[in-house]
Amino acid sequence: MSESKQQLNVNVDFKQTQPITSPDGNHVFAEGVILRKVSKFLTGTSEDSIMPIPCFYDVVTGKVLVELLPKEVREEYDNIWLVKGNYL
């Protein structure tokens, strides 16, 4: 069995975990996807490609939890949040 599989099967007591909250103190999140276009010149294909980046956002404010994004794109998405289906 691979090491990563063994790590996933570790029993963790929930009392030893810490909650994740949004900067506004909210505890409930939804999953979304940020889509990035990758040039065909970088991929070596005949067409541009799409790179999906999973993200979580606060269901109350719509703000993306930027600290969970890859470091390379955090700054770009720092001030973006979803409000009633519209990006601000």
Side-chain angles (χ1 to χ4, degrees):
M1 184 179 291
S2 72
E3 222 174 283
S4 62
K5 289 266 187 190
Q6 290 175 354
Q7 290 175 356
L8 293 175
N9 291 328
V10 173
N11 291 328
V12 176
D13 181 357
F14 284 109
K15 292 178 183 178
Q16 295 176 331
T17 66
Q18 298 177 356
I20 294 177
T21 59
S22 70
D24 299 303
N26 299 317
H27 296 269
V28 179
F29 306 97
E31 187 173 7
V33 178
I34 294 171
L35 299 176
R36 305 280 296 194
K37 185 161 85 170
V38 183
S39 169
K40 61 185 176 185
F41 301 110
L42 292 174
T43 61
T45 59
S46 61
E47 296 181 9
D48 292 342
S49 299
I50 301 296
M51 176 189 297
I53 302 173
C55 68
F56 291 94
Y57 62 91
D58 183 331
V59 296
V60 175
T61 65
K63 293 180 182 177
V64 173
L65 292 177
V66 178
E67 63 272 10
L68 299 179
L69 292 175
K71 292 177 183 179
E72 298 83 4
V73 297
R74 288 180 187 173
E75 188 174 319
E76 185 175 345
Y77 293 97
D78 195 30
N79 293 316
I80 295 178
W81 59 90
L82 180 70
V83 178
K84 295 183 182 177
N86 297 314
Y87 285 99
L88 299 177

